[in-house]
Amino acid sequence: MTAGLAVIDVNGRVLHLGSYKEVDRGEIISVISKLGKPILVATDVKDPPELVRKLAAQLGAQLFTPGYNLTVAEKEELRKRICSIP
């Protein structure tokens, strides 16, 4: 499994973008913890993977899931808006 990780502060500034293959929860927590205290963990699918549920619980953060699975096009549009990259 490949996991994408974007850490964004409450002002919308991107603090970290990364893509990880075969990553474990401990590695993700290490990256996030170096950047601050998370308040929200979000996923791009309606039914979150166990890794995401456990990550949110372990970090004490709210879990956000969309009402449907986002398409690749929708995720690309979000990336463009957040990162201001054409």
Side-chain angles (χ1 to χ4, degrees):
M1 176 175 78
T2 299
L5 176 63
V7 179
I8 303 165
D9 71 11
V10 295
N11 296 311
R13 290 182 301 232
V14 176
L15 303 178
H16 177 85
L17 290 175
S19 179
Y20 304 87
K21 279 190 175 258
E22 311 267 335
V23 68
D24 67 32
R25 196 168 63 244
E27 291 174 79
I28 295 171
I29 289 172
S30 177
V31 170
I32 294 170
S33 297
K34 290 176 184 173
L35 299 169
K37 169 110 175 84
I39 56 173
L40 181 74
V41 171
T43 184
D44 59 354
V45 292
K46 182 177 179 178
D47 296 318
E50 183 178 347
L51 173 72
V52 175
R53 287 194 312 271
K54 288 183 175 183
L55 180 65
Q58 191 168 351
L59 291 169
Q62 181 74 34
L63 175 62
F64 173 82
T65 59
Y68 62 94
N69 296 345
L70 284 109
T71 66
V72 172
E74 288 170 315
K75 291 184 275 189
E76 183 63 23
E77 181 59 33
L78 286 169
R79 182 199 61 82
K80 285 178 185 177
R81 277 194 290 163
I82 291 169
C83 299
S84 302
I85 297 172

